[in-house]
Amino acid sequence: MKQQTLETAIQRLEEITAQMNDSELTVDQSITLYTEAVKLIEFSEKKLADAKLKVEKLSVGVQNEE
């Protein structure tokens, strides 16, 4: 399995959104897609929070060097 990245998570979320908007899904299919979307959103939020923390640490380091 390919390693998940923020970009692949967002791409998959876009696919799920299109599927849920454009097709006739059963309730079970909708629930499955929704569950996957929630996990992808949680993954994306964590990736963004980690990136923000890294940027903040780097910014503090740069400010301390000045």
Side-chain angles (χ1 to χ4, degrees):
M1 186 169 116
K2 193 166 102 174
Q3 175 123 6
Q4 182 84 290
T5 65
L6 180 59
E7 292 80 7
T8 58
I10 291 171
Q11 181 180 5
R12 180 63 185 139
L13 281 166
E14 289 171 349
E15 292 169 0
I16 290 170
T17 301
Q19 265 186 289
M20 292 185 83
N21 286 331
D22 295 336
S23 62
E24 295 290 324
L25 298 172
T26 66
V27 172
D28 286 341
Q29 290 169 322
S30 294
I31 291 170
T32 298
L33 287 172
Y34 181 81
T35 302
E36 182 182 355
V38 168
K39 290 177 184 176
L40 289 167
I41 291 167
E42 289 171 350
F43 170 83
S44 298
E45 287 174 340
K46 182 174 180 344
K47 281 291 203 183
L48 289 171
D50 290 347
K52 180 181 177 187
L53 184 60
K54 285 180 184 178
V55 169
E56 288 172 353
K57 284 181 181 180
L58 289 171
S59 294
V60 169
V62 169
Q63 289 173 356
N64 289 339
E65 290 177 8
E66 294 177 351

